Short mmCIF file of all heavy atoms in Angstrom, two decimals:
data_model
loop_
_atom_site.label_atom_id
_atom_site.label_comp_id
_atom_site.label_asym_id
_atom_site.label_seq_id
_atom_site.Cartn_x
_atom_site.Cartn_y
_atom_site.Cartn_z
N HIS L 263 17.02 59.59 194.65
CA HIS L 263 17.25 61.04 194.81
C HIS L 263 16.64 61.79 193.62
O HIS L 263 15.91 62.74 193.71
CB HIS L 263 18.82 61.29 194.83
CG HIS L 263 19.23 62.69 194.92
ND1 HIS L 263 19.53 63.32 196.14
CD2 HIS L 263 19.31 63.66 193.95
CE1 HIS L 263 19.91 64.51 195.90
NE2 HIS L 263 19.69 64.79 194.63
N GLU L 264 17.02 61.39 192.40
CA GLU L 264 16.46 62.07 191.23
C GLU L 264 14.97 61.88 191.12
O GLU L 264 14.27 62.82 190.57
CB GLU L 264 17.19 61.49 189.96
CG GLU L 264 18.71 61.67 189.89
CD GLU L 264 19.15 63.12 190.18
OE1 GLU L 264 18.51 64.08 189.91
OE2 GLU L 264 20.35 63.16 190.76
N HIS L 267 13.36 64.74 192.92
CA HIS L 267 13.29 65.92 192.20
C HIS L 267 12.16 65.81 191.25
O HIS L 267 11.37 66.77 190.97
CB HIS L 267 14.59 66.12 191.33
CG HIS L 267 15.70 66.56 192.16
ND1 HIS L 267 15.78 67.75 192.85
CD2 HIS L 267 17.04 66.04 192.39
CE1 HIS L 267 16.96 68.00 193.47
NE2 HIS L 267 17.67 66.92 193.18
N HIS L 292 14.06 72.26 195.98
CA HIS L 292 14.15 71.15 195.12
C HIS L 292 14.96 70.00 195.84
O HIS L 292 14.63 68.86 195.83
CB HIS L 292 14.84 71.42 193.81
CG HIS L 292 14.06 71.09 192.56
ND1 HIS L 292 13.73 69.80 192.39
CD2 HIS L 292 13.50 71.84 191.67
CE1 HIS L 292 12.97 69.73 191.28
NE2 HIS L 292 12.86 70.97 190.77
N GLU L 293 16.16 70.42 196.46
CA GLU L 293 16.98 69.42 197.02
C GLU L 293 16.19 68.92 198.34
O GLU L 293 16.54 67.75 198.63
CB GLU L 293 18.35 70.05 197.44
CG GLU L 293 19.39 69.11 197.65
CD GLU L 293 19.88 68.33 196.37
OE1 GLU L 293 19.43 68.57 195.33
OE2 GLU L 293 20.66 67.29 196.67
N SER L 296 14.54 65.80 196.92
CA SER L 296 15.39 64.67 196.55
C SER L 296 15.94 63.99 197.75
O SER L 296 16.00 62.77 197.89
CB SER L 296 16.51 65.14 195.68
OG SER L 296 17.21 66.13 196.20
N TYR L 419 22.33 72.56 198.66
CA TYR L 419 22.46 71.22 199.11
C TYR L 419 22.06 71.10 200.67
O TYR L 419 21.32 70.22 201.13
CB TYR L 419 23.72 70.56 198.91
CG TYR L 419 24.03 70.38 197.45
CD1 TYR L 419 25.12 71.02 196.83
CD2 TYR L 419 23.24 69.57 196.64
CE1 TYR L 419 25.39 70.88 195.44
CE2 TYR L 419 23.47 69.42 195.23
CZ TYR L 419 24.52 70.16 194.64
OH TYR L 419 24.79 69.89 193.38
ZN1 ZN Q 601 19.71 66.79 193.85
#
Side-chain angles (χ1 to χ4, degrees):
H263 181 99
E264 302 308 331
H267 285 301
H292 234 299
E293 198 66 10
S296 56
Y419 294 119

